[in-house]
Amino acid sequence: MPASSDSSSGSASAPVTICVIGSGYVGLVAAVCFAEMGHRVLCVDNNEAKVAQLQRGEAPIYEEHLPEMLARHLNHGVTFTTDLAAAIRPAEAVFIAVGTPQGSSGAADLSYVEAVVSQIAQAMNGYKVLVEKSTVPVYTNEWITRCMHRHGVASDQFDIVSNPEFLREGTAIGDFLHPDRIVVGANNDRSADLLRRIYAPLTTGGYYHQPNALPGPCSADQPAKLVVTSAQSAEIIKHASNAFLALKISFINAVSNLAEAVDANIEDIALGMGLDARIGPRFLRAGLGYGGSCFPKDVAAFSWVAEQQGIDFHLLDEVRKINDRQLDLFFDKIRSALWTLRGKKIAAFGLAFKSDTDDTRDSPAIALIRRLLDAGVHVAATDPAAIEAAQRVLPASGALTYTDDPYAAAEDADAVVILTEWCQFATLDLNRLNRALKFPIVIDGRNLYSPDVMRDHGFTYVSVGRPAVYASTQGRPRKTPL
Ligand code: NAD
Ligand code: UDX
C-alpha cells in the first residue's frame, strides 16, 4: 500500500474495545488517552504490584496530567488487570507496549514481545488487529505473523499493524493527544481502517471540540495528521526518527567542543542555526549528551538492522561515540575545575535522564555520579522527582547521600554539578547557593545559566561549548582558604 496522509478520514466514531499489553510509560499513557478519546480499554500488565497500584488509581510514574486523567477514566473507560486472556477476548485491537531493551549484540531484545504474542495466540477468539506500539526493528511484523501461525492461528484471524509511538517522557499525555503525526503501517485496508477509527477523535478534530479536552497544538481546525504506510516503512520511521534526533544532539555537541576550543558560544551558534527553518531550533541543546530508555538503545538497534542488511550506516556509530565522549569530557571538566577529586564533596543537581520525569534509565546523571564515586568523591544528590528511582540503582551510602533540597545538597560542597535540565535548577537563588557552598564553583552540563550572570554572582562557572568564567576571590569571604 503506498503511503498516504489524511486528517479527516476515520468514517466511524464508534468506540473501539482496545486491549493494551504493558502499562509502562507508553502502554499506560496510551490506555488512559484511548479512554480519554472515548474508547473502552483493558490494560494488562504482569507486574501484580503495578496493576494493584493502578487499580487504586495511583499513577506509578511521574507524568503531567496522568493522575487526573487516570482518576477520570478508571473503571469507566479503562480497567487494569493481570489476566491477559480475559482482556484480549473482547478486544478488536490489541496494542503491544512491552519493553524492547537493548540485547548484548545491540539488537533489540524482542523476547517480551514474543512472549506476549504467544499468549495472544492462545487467547484468540475471532479476528483481531495486533498493533506493534513498542519500538521494534523492521520485519518484526513478519515475525509476529510467523509466531501466530506457529501457534495455529489462521491468517484470516488477524492482521499486524505497526503504530509506533513518538511521545516524550514528561510531556507524554500532551504528545499523545496532540501528536505531530500518527503513523499507521498496515498491509491492508481492513486493519488500517480500524486504526483510523481508533484515532478518529484526533484526526477529525472531534476530541478537541470537547470542553474538557487537554489544550495543545492540535485543534478542531488543525486536527492530528495520520500517515498510512506499509508495516516495514512504519517500523523504520520510528527507528529513523529517534536516530535522527540523537544525531542532531550529537552534532550540536560536536560543534560545542569546537566552540569551546575557539572561545565561541554554542548557545549563539545553536540560535543562529536553528533560525533556519530547514534546521529548526529543537534538539540543538548541547550538554552532557542524550540518555533515557529510547535514544541509546534505538540508535544501537537501528545500527544493527542496517548491519544485518549489509548497509554501511557508520554514521550511527559516530553518533553514539560522540555521545559517550561528551560524558568523558564533562568528567574531565570537573576534574580540571577541582584539581583533585578524592575526598571532595560535590553536589549533584539532577538524577533523571531529563527534566519532568522520574525515569533514570540510561541517565547520564547516574553514569556521571558513578564515575565521581569511583574517583573517591562524596556526592550529595538532589532531584525534584527521581530520588526514589535513583536509590534503586545507586543506594545511599557513606559516600552518597540524597536530599530533595538543592541548598542542603550544596552545603559545604566543593562544587555543584548540574546534570539534569529541571527548571528548578535553572531558577535557583544564586546568592543562597553561593553562601551554602564551600567554594563557589558550578560545572553545568545543561547550560542553564548565562556565564555573565554567574560571574556577577561570584561563581566560577564552567559549562558546555561556552567560555568558562572565573570568580574573583574578592568580595566573598571563603569558609576555607584556597
Ligand atoms: P516500560 O518498561 O515502562 O513498560 C513495559 C511494561 O510491560 C512493564 O510494566 C512490564 O511489567 C510490562 N510487561 C512486560 N512483559 C509483559 C507481559 N508478558 N505481559 C504483560 N505485561 C508485560 O517500557 P516503556 O518505556 O513503556 O516502553 C515500551 C516500548 O515503547 C519500548 O519498545 C520502548 O522503546 C517504546 N517507547 C518508549 C517511549 C518512552 O518514552 N518510554 C516512547 C516511545 C516508544
Ligand atoms: C525520545 C523521543 O524524543 C520520543 O519521540 C520517543 O518517543 C522516545 O524517545 P524521551 O527519551 O522521552 O523521548 O526524551 P527526549 O526529550 O527526546 O530527550 C532524550 C535525551 O536527549 C535526554 O537525555 C535529553 O536531556 C537529551 N537532549 C534532548 C539533549 O541533550 N539535547 C536536546 O536538545 C534535546
Side-chain angles (χ1 to χ4, degrees):
M1 210 160 47
S4 63
S5 165
D6 62 68
S7 58
S8 59
S9 58
S11 45
S13 56
V16 177
T17 302
I18 296 172
C19 171
V20 178
I21 305 176
S23 63
Y25 285 87
V26 168
L28 176 57
V29 168
V32 168
C33 289
F34 284 144
E36 170 83 357
M37 287 153 64
H39 300 301
R40 289 182 298 266
V41 188
L42 300 131
C43 187
V44 187
D45 206 287
N46 61 1
N47 180 329
E48 287 180 11
K50 196 183 266 190
V51 170
Q53 204 179 352
L54 286 163
Q55 286 169 338
R56 291 194 300 270
E58 296 166 16
I61 52 173
Y62 179 97
E63 201 56 64
E64 198 185 7
H65 306 301
L66 183 61
E68 311 88 270
M69 227 166 253
L70 182 59
R72 197 185 306 165
H73 299 295
L74 184 65
N75 298 330
H76 308 291
V78 62
T79 54
F80 296 94
T81 178
T82 52
D83 188 344
L84 187 137
I88 289 203
R89 277 186 218 109
E92 295 167 75
V94 181
F95 283 73
I96 302 170
V98 296
T100 50
Q102 187 174 333
S104 51
S105 62
D109 172 357
L110 297 177
S111 55
Y112 298 96
V113 173
E114 185 182 1
V116 162
V117 173
S118 305
Q119 284 178 277
I120 297 172
Q122 284 155 41
M124 290 290 282
N125 60 341
Y127 175 83
K128 295 179 198 303
V129 174
L130 273 53
V131 188
E132 300 170 353
K133 199 58 161 161
S134 299
T135 301
V136 292
V138 64
Y139 281 136
T140 299
N141 70 92
E142 293 216 346
W143 276 107
I144 295 179
T145 302
R146 249 179 257 179
C147 185
M148 293 293 279
H149 288 161
R150 281 178 190 165
H151 283 86
V153 185
S155 292
D156 62 357
Q157 291 299 294
F158 69 95
D159 279 307
I160 313 292
V161 170
S162 166
N163 172 222
E165 183 48 58
F166 301 99
L167 63 78
R168 292 159 301 166
E169 291 181 21
T171 51
I173 298 271
D175 289 346
F176 196 97
L177 292 170
H178 293 268
D180 287 347
R181 77 300 204 189
I182 298 158
V183 172
V184 172
N187 294 333
N188 61 39
D189 287 337
R190 183 183 187 186
S191 55
D193 283 346
L194 182 64
L195 270 285
R196 284 197 177 96
R197 230 176 93 203
I198 290 173
Y199 286 106
L202 306 185
T203 57
T204 60
Y207 170 70
Y208 310 110
H209 268 305
Q210 293 176 18
N212 59 355
L214 187 80
C218 295
S219 64
D221 297 332
Q222 299 261 310
K225 291 186 180 62
L226 185 146
V227 181
V228 179
T229 68
S230 70
Q232 275 91 311
S233 297
E235 289 165 341
I236 291 181
I237 287 170
K238 176 61 199 179
H239 265 163
S241 299
N242 270 7
F244 189 80
L245 291 169
L247 176 147
K248 214 172 163 189
I249 297 169
S250 278
F251 188 90
I252 202 67
N253 279 333
V255 176
S256 79
N257 297 328
L258 179 62
E260 232 169 81
V262 301
D263 275 347
N265 183 321
I266 194 62
E267 300 300 325
D268 294 343
I269 296 168
L271 176 70
M273 285 171 65
L275 285 170
D276 184 327
R278 293 168 302 175
I279 297 172
R282 297 168 77 189
F283 281 73
L284 281 183
R285 281 194 335 265
L288 270 187
Y290 60 77
S293 67
C294 292
F295 283 173
K297 81 160 170 67
D298 291 345
V299 170
F302 199 34
S303 177
W304 180 87
V305 164
E307 199 182 304
Q308 293 301 300
Q309 298 300 324
I311 310 293
D312 179 346
F313 210 160
H314 294 303
L315 178 63
L316 298 178
D317 300 334
E318 293 306 317
V319 168
R320 181 187 51 75
K321 278 188 209 155
I322 293 168
N323 200 55
D324 291 348
R325 178 105 185 95
Q326 209 58 17
L327 203 71
D328 298 340
L329 292 172
F330 190 71
F331 185 74
D332 290 346
K333 276 183 186 162
I334 300 173
R335 206 196 328 250
S336 61
L338 294 186
W339 189 15
T340 64
L341 292 178
R342 183 162 304 281
K344 298 255 164 87
K345 177 184 172 186
I346 292 183
F349 284 12
L351 295 161
F353 80 96
K354 62 182 257 191
S355 62
D356 303 307
T357 179
D358 59 353
D359 198 345
T360 58
R361 291 179 287 180
D362 245 314
S363 169
I366 299 284
L368 201 274
I369 291 171
R370 274 191 214 284
R371 287 197 195 188
L372 292 174
L373 293 171
D374 288 347
V377 171
H378 292 270
V379 177
T382 184
D383 189 285
I387 290 178
E388 210 182 307
Q391 278 175 324
R392 287 196 286 271
V393 288
L394 272 183
S397 65
L400 174 63
T401 54
Y402 290 99
T403 168
D404 54 13
D405 176 1
Y407 303 101
E411 193 60 45
D412 237 15
D414 293 270
V416 165
V417 294
I418 300 179
L419 307 177
T420 310
E421 60 270 40
W422 283 97
C423 80
Q424 284 89 331
F425 299 148
T427 53
L428 291 163
D429 176 340
L430 293 175
N431 293 324
R432 191 174 163 198
L433 182 69
N434 193 320
R435 282 196 303 273
L437 283 161
K438 194 196 296 185
F439 301 118
I441 300 172
V442 173
I443 305 141
D444 183 356
R446 298 295 180 182
N447 286 1
L448 298 188
Y449 288 95
S450 138
D452 290 344
V453 168
M454 292 305 273
R455 187 184 36 222
D456 292 350
H457 282 82
F459 287 95
T460 286
Y461 179 69
V462 181
S463 55
V464 178
R466 303 184 294 182
V469 294
Y470 296 95
S472 142
T473 50
Q474 291 160 12
R476 178 183 183 279
R478 293 192 176 282
K479 290 180 183 170
T480 316
L482 272 173

